[in-house]
Amino acid sequence: MTILKSEPALKSETIVIAAEMDIVKSRQAVRVASVALGFKLVDQTKIVTAASELARNTLVYGKGGKLILEVVVKDQRKGLRMIFEDQGPGIPDLKLAMTDGYTTGGGLGMGLSGAKRLVSEFDIVSRPGEGTRVVATKWM
């Protein structure tokens, strides 16, 4: 699975997502990083909400994985890039999975599509049996 990363990371932190508590750790790490970068409160809330949804998907549907949190710079703008990876069952139909209201669980089916709306850039690669990788970046 390959998603191109065009900007090198200035700083990187990896958080293993293996239990419910790791969703909280992911959310806290994203909040600390977004505050340190100087995101305004509204944008902090958006990126933390996206991180929470994606971390939960990594745990529940991907059966665990990791978050790689990176500070990046592009055209003199700073950003926060979140890479969620799992080795779970993968998503057989990404287009359907990105549709509002679609769910294979008991949720509202807004996690992936909602997270996409909350960040500046969003990319997802998934193959059945190989897992899923989501790259979500919020620019200042």
Side-chain angles (χ1 to χ4, degrees):
M1 226 180 303
T2 302
I3 294 178
L4 296 176
K5 295 193 313 182
S6 57
E7 310 81 27
L10 297 177
K11 183 178 175 186
S12 181
E13 174 182 3
T14 300
I15 299 165
V16 173
I17 301 172
E20 191 80 21
M21 187 62 182
D22 299 325
I23 296 170
V24 176
K25 289 179 185 173
S26 298
R27 206 168 38 227
Q28 289 171 337
V30 169
R31 179 169 305 283
V32 168
S34 64
V35 169
L37 278 175
F39 278 100
K40 294 181 180 176
L41 182 58
V42 170
D43 287 330
Q44 291 172 28
T45 303
K46 287 179 179 179
I47 196 166
V48 169
T49 301
S52 184
E53 292 292 337
L54 296 171
R56 182 164 305 283
N57 281 358
T58 299
L59 179 64
V60 173
Y61 300 107
K63 310 300 179 200
K66 64 184 175 185
L67 161 63
I68 303 168
L69 185 60
E70 298 177 334
V71 175
V72 292
V73 175
K74 177 181 178 182
D75 300 328
Q76 300 182 348
R77 288 187 315 163
K78 286 187 178 178
L80 196 56
R81 179 169 49 213
M82 304 179 293
I83 304 168
F84 291 87
E85 296 178 332
D86 69 62
Q87 303 298 313
I91 302 170
D93 188 338
L94 277 177
K95 185 176 179 182
L96 183 59
M98 294 300 299
T99 304
D100 285 345
Y102 176 79
T103 182
T104 58
L108 298 175
M110 302 297 284
L112 285 175
S113 58
K116 182 178 180 179
R117 284 190 292 272
L118 294 170
V119 297
S120 309
E121 296 174 6
F122 186 92
D123 197 9
I124 182 169
V125 174
S126 185
R127 291 186 184 86
E130 296 182 22
T132 301
R133 185 171 199 234
V134 177
V135 179
T137 306
K138 184 74 173 173
W139 295 106
M140 294 188 68

